[in-house]
Amino acid sequence: MARKITFRQAIHEALVQEMTRDPTVIVMGEDNAGGMGAPGEQDAWGGVLGVTKGLYHQFPGRVLDTPISEAAFIGAAIGAAACGLRPVAELMFIDFMGVCLDQILNQAAKFKYMFGGKAKTPVVIRTMIGAGLRAAAQHSQCLYSLFTHVPGLKVVIPSTPYDAKGLLIESIRDNDPVIFCEHKLLYGLEGDVPEESYIVPFGEASVVREGDDVTVVALARMVHFAQQAADALQRKGIHCEVIDPRTTSPLDEDTILESVEKTGRLVVVDESNPRCSMASDIAGLVAQRAFKALKAPIEQVTAPHTPAPFSDVLEDLYVPSPAKIEAAVTRVREYR
Amino acid sequence: MLTKPQLLQAYTTMRTIREFEERLHTEFASGDIPGFVHLYAGEEAAATGVCMHLGDHDCIASTHRGHGHCIAKGMDVHAMMAEIWGKRTGVCHGKGGSMHVADLSIGMMGANGIVGGGGPLICGAALAAKRKGNKGVGVCFFGDGASNQGAIFEAMNLASVWQLPAIFVAENNGYAEATSSTWSVAGGSIADRASGCGMPGVQVDGFDFFAVYEAAGTAIRRAREGGGPSLIEVKFMRFFGHFEGDQQTYRAPGEVQKLRETSDCLRQFAARVTKSGEITWAELEQRDREARALIDEAVRRAKADPKPAAADLLTDVYVSY
């Protein structure tokens, strides 16, 4: 039975269902319960945005609060995964990867290969991405392209409550390390989510809107901006096909290429900075593999090559907007 | 008190490590061995004295100087040798090499090319053991160089906060690459750093197998009984350079020669057990011959073994994709 719940509730529900199903699933992170050692309430926070609230009492001993010590607890999650548990570690903001990157880049990602195939590391690292909260340069990045670059990591970027639940369950059951990126402005988004457990497989893009004129590939919050732009363009008679890859590693190349074969025009929308981004990666893929189908240069709508700014006027300019997407689609549509 | 079979086991393990490393030193000079090789000779008492207390359900995390830990944890010597030669028969199928040799089936979580990388991982191993309730422990070997890495400080703190069955074994072998630990370790003592993380810390003579064995036994028993983590600083000096090819101009003239004459864990061990009458020289010499034969055979086979196939390049990236 589907009913409307938020993106936040969908993630919570996925955790509850997987922790119920599999006793090796544990949760750890900074203030995932909250209140450790303090005189007040235990489970005071349930994570900085309340996603894990309630798990502490529901699953005794399986929700571990950590010191603010990312290298230690992300590495511990990885080590525990290599020793038979299925930890879901919460790295509050993806920006904090800077202090624990070694454990992800050189340890988790490499075990399977450098140990000759004889290791599995079923760890999920849940982390918040994205700008829009006026959180500025150190709390607003996307960085998923950085992890997509690394062989051995899977990278998951849900844009809807339905996908968040199904992809998180798939992530927990997967035997490889997964970087699970949650856009911080999507937590309140409501959508239809079945009550029962289900998975959304990796490497299967979602065609969220069909259209014949222009292919728009977008990730996370940008999927919704692309839809807004597509609504406006439809009123002008331009029909966009909006594709959400949902996972960037593995990437569903076929769905993107087939769409461009049909439309001949591509706009990639990526909230990241532009260089070595998912936008440039997907543009490169299409330029190489669907060259003959292209009727116009590929457009990339991204943040500029700057850190995320603080001031609202600057941040609003920094994040790609529906208007910028609309303008890019119009340019490729009118290109002769 | 160690039984005679245990004493012989300890000696055999140390001798096997020594033979393994001395042989690699010779073979490396011939140019046959690819990549970087960091030798453990001189430090055998540490790996042996700690791992004698461990079983397959206990995990260790090792360092770039990891051959001794592998052998002491029970890794197959031929599979190690083949790995170091980059052969398909290697324990990691030639994809890991000396710095990443691992065998999770015996709780050996890998040598590690990243200094300090094993600290957080062993917290995870200890956490898994605690969750499973199997009385297992995690042992993190790390060097004096790693003792200054944030990951090690963080791991010790977390192990204490979570009261994990973890043992941190600092192998202070005098030098991090070409830098003396007397310069790089502020405060002068790695063991003293334990108190800052709320765990016991002791310093032991790393050339003395019995000292290491005893300290490790205390720490491991404590961990198994739920007493939480400990730190052991093992002090010694390595017999070779940082890596093979290191000219070691940073060392004092005659330093290594003197160490080999006066501070060799194998010599000290042999002198003690023969003097006490527990073991005869003949019994030790037999173990020496067996170790030499084992290494000869491992090298012979490793040299003859096949290299990986081209198709192996693309396998083992993911469990499923």
Side-chain angles (χ1 to χ4, degrees):
Chain A
M1 249 297 278
R3 73 285 190 233
K4 285 205 185 312
I5 60 172
T6 63
F7 192 90
R8 174 191 283 107
Q9 289 167 323
I11 292 167
H12 180 90
E13 192 166 274
L15 289 171
V16 169
Q17 289 180 353
E18 284 304 285
M19 292 180 84
T20 303
R21 187 188 67 82
D22 181 351
T24 68
V25 178
I26 60 169
V27 164
M28 64 173 77
E30 290 152 7
D31 293 310
N32 270 203
M36 290 301 126
E41 187 194 354
Q42 302 287 289
D43 199 24
W45 277 16
V48 70
L49 290 182
V51 175
T52 49
K53 180 81 175 168
L55 299 180
Y56 179 73
H57 293 300
Q58 199 174 344
F59 300 100
R62 292 168 62 190
V63 176
L64 302 173
D65 269 3
T66 70
I68 299 180
S69 182
E70 289 87 358
F73 80 79
I74 293 294
I78 291 162
C83 291
L85 299 186
R86 289 186 180 271
V88 181
E90 183 182 297
L91 181 67
M92 197 180 296
F93 293 92
I94 201 167
D95 315 72
F96 303 167
M97 290 287 183
V99 293
C100 60
L101 187 58
D102 172 63
Q103 292 293 323
I104 299 167
L105 170 73
N106 286 316
Q107 314 296 337
K110 305 292 194 283
F111 284 171
K112 173 81 179 162
Y113 193 84
M114 73 184 178
F115 298 166
K118 292 190 282 188
K120 64 176 186 178
T121 313
V123 64
V124 181
I125 299 171
R126 292 181 43 241
T127 184
M128 274 193 277
I129 62 167
L133 279 185
R134 319 306 186 204
Q138 295 171 345
H139 290 71
S140 300
Q141 298 168 88
C142 284
L143 296 183
Y144 38 67
S145 53
L146 196 153
F147 298 99
T148 306
H149 176 76
V150 179
L153 301 177
K154 291 176 179 171
V155 183
V156 178
I157 311 166
S159 68
T160 67
Y162 178 91
D163 287 347
K165 179 175 170 182
L167 285 167
L168 182 53
I169 291 174
E170 177 75 338
S171 299
I172 293 169
R173 295 181 187 177
D174 195 90
N175 285 323
D176 293 306
V178 175
I179 311 296
F180 192 89
C181 303
E182 302 167 11
H183 197 293
K184 54 179 82 73
L185 285 181
L186 294 179
Y187 283 113
L189 179 73
E190 289 198 335
D192 289 338
V193 177
E195 283 177 31
E196 64 273 17
S197 179
Y198 62 93
I199 61 157
V200 171
F202 292 167
E204 287 189 17
S206 168
V207 180
V208 296
R209 180 191 201 102
E210 292 189 6
D212 292 334
D213 295 329
V214 178
T215 300
V216 181
V217 178
L219 290 158
R221 187 183 180 214
M222 295 301 107
V223 175
H224 304 282
F225 281 12
Q227 282 277 53
Q228 287 178 38
D231 285 341
L233 288 158
Q234 188 162 325
R235 289 191 286 275
K236 297 178 186 169
I238 298 173
H239 302 285
C240 295
E241 181 143 293
V242 178
I243 295 173
D244 174 6
R246 300 194 286 198
T247 62
T248 56
S249 185
L251 179 67
D252 180 355
E253 300 178 354
D254 291 346
T255 297
I256 296 167
L257 292 168
E258 282 163 20
S259 177
V260 175
E261 292 288 345
K262 178 175 71 176
T263 63
R265 302 169 201 275
L266 174 66
V267 173
V268 194
V269 190
D270 180 356
E271 196 189 306
S272 305
N273 303 112
R275 302 297 314 281
C276 301
S277 61
M278 283 317 301
S280 62
D281 183 74
I282 291 168
L285 170 80
V286 169
Q288 187 183 4
R289 305 256 306 270
F291 181 72
K292 281 187 180 167
L294 285 172
K295 299 172 193 160
I298 299 164
E299 286 270 350
Q300 301 178 39
V301 183
T302 69
H305 191 64
T306 69
F310 169 61
S311 172
D312 57 354
V313 292
L314 295 177
E315 193 187 34
D316 290 345
L317 285 169
Y318 172 89
V319 178
S321 63
K324 283 181 188 163
I325 299 167
E326 195 180 328
V329 170
T330 304
R331 281 196 298 278
V332 300
R333 183 69 179 86
E334 291 175 353
Y335 181 82
R336 290 290 181 271
Chain B
M1 269 300 284
L2 285 154
T3 63
K4 182 168 177 177
Q6 285 176 315
L7 289 171
L8 284 170
Q9 182 198 341
Y11 183 80
T12 301
T13 301
M14 290 195 291
R15 178 58 71 193
T16 305
I17 297 169
R18 178 68 56 86
E19 282 294 329
F20 193 98
E21 300 296 61
E22 297 277 7
R23 184 63 181 267
L24 278 182
H25 177 71
T26 311
E27 294 287 342
F28 191 89
S30 75
D32 261 5
I33 299 177
F36 306 146
V37 175
H38 309 78
L39 300 180
Y40 193 72
E43 308 185 28
E44 294 87 348
T48 307
V50 172
C51 292
M52 286 264 300
H53 296 281
L54 305 179
D56 282 356
H57 59 292
D58 299 310
C59 287
I60 65 167
S62 174
T63 72
H64 57 277
R65 198 176 304 287
H67 304 162
H69 308 130
C70 293
I71 292 170
K73 195 69 174 64
M75 195 179 285
D76 180 78
V77 169
H78 161 253
M80 279 178 70
M81 202 64 91
E83 187 61 35
I84 290 165
W85 252 267
K87 298 301 179 74
R88 198 179 194 189
T89 51
V91 64
C92 302
H93 303 165
K95 288 177 166 177
S98 167
M99 277 193 289
H100 312 105
V101 55
D103 187 351
L104 291 166
S105 70
I106 57 165
M108 199 305 173
M109 298 182 74
N112 208 311
I114 306 299
V115 171
L121 297 175
I122 216 63
C123 287
L127 174 66
K130 191 175 176 181
R131 279 287 313 155
K132 292 174 189 170
N134 64 8
K135 299 277 179 192
V137 300
V139 177
C140 174
F141 290 100
F142 63 102
D144 46 289
S147 78
N148 302 319
Q149 282 278 29
I152 291 294
F153 286 99
E154 289 194 37
M156 290 203 298
N157 184 66
L158 185 68
S160 209
V161 168
W162 280 353
Q163 281 296 286
L164 294 176
I167 298 93
F168 295 86
V169 179
E171 297 180 321
N172 185 347
N173 68 8
Y175 302 96
E177 299 184 1
T179 298
S180 171
S181 60
T182 60
W183 182 84
S184 66
V185 177
S189 163
I190 299 170
D192 283 355
R193 294 176 178 182
S195 64
C197 293
M199 67 176 79
V202 296
Q203 203 172 63
V204 297
D205 174 4
F207 292 119
D208 180 355
F209 164 83
F210 295 94
V212 177
Y213 181 83
E214 192 176 322
T218 302
I220 291 167
R221 264 192 307 280
R222 182 173 186 273
R224 290 200 202 285
E225 288 164 6
S230 304
L231 170 63
I232 301 168
E233 179 182 4
V234 183
K235 293 204 75 168
F236 41 27
M237 304 281 262
R238 54 171 147 82
F239 285 1
F240 290 115
H242 169 60
F243 45 59
E244 284 310 275
D246 176 5
Q247 297 303 309
Q248 303 184 72
T249 52
Y250 50 87
R251 303 186 85 155
E255 181 180 305
V256 174
Q257 186 59 35
K258 190 172 166 213
L259 283 171
R260 283 183 179 272
E261 286 164 8
T262 63
S263 306
D264 182 335
C265 59
L266 277 154
R267 284 190 190 211
Q268 289 194 20
F269 184 97
R272 175 162 161 172
V273 296
T274 51
K275 190 174 175 195
S276 69
E278 290 162 288
I279 298 177
T280 65
W281 281 106
E283 285 170 317
L284 295 180
E285 282 159 9
Q286 186 196 332
R287 296 315 187 279
D288 293 346
R289 285 192 297 275
E290 286 168 0
R292 202 166 303 127
L294 179 73
I295 300 302
D296 281 347
E297 177 65 5
V299 169
R300 190 192 62 73
R301 285 175 63 195
K303 284 182 173 177
D305 281 346
K307 295 263 191 186
D312 294 335
L313 174 67
L314 303 181
T315 60
D316 301 327
V317 179
Y318 299 94
V319 176
S320 61
Y321 208 72

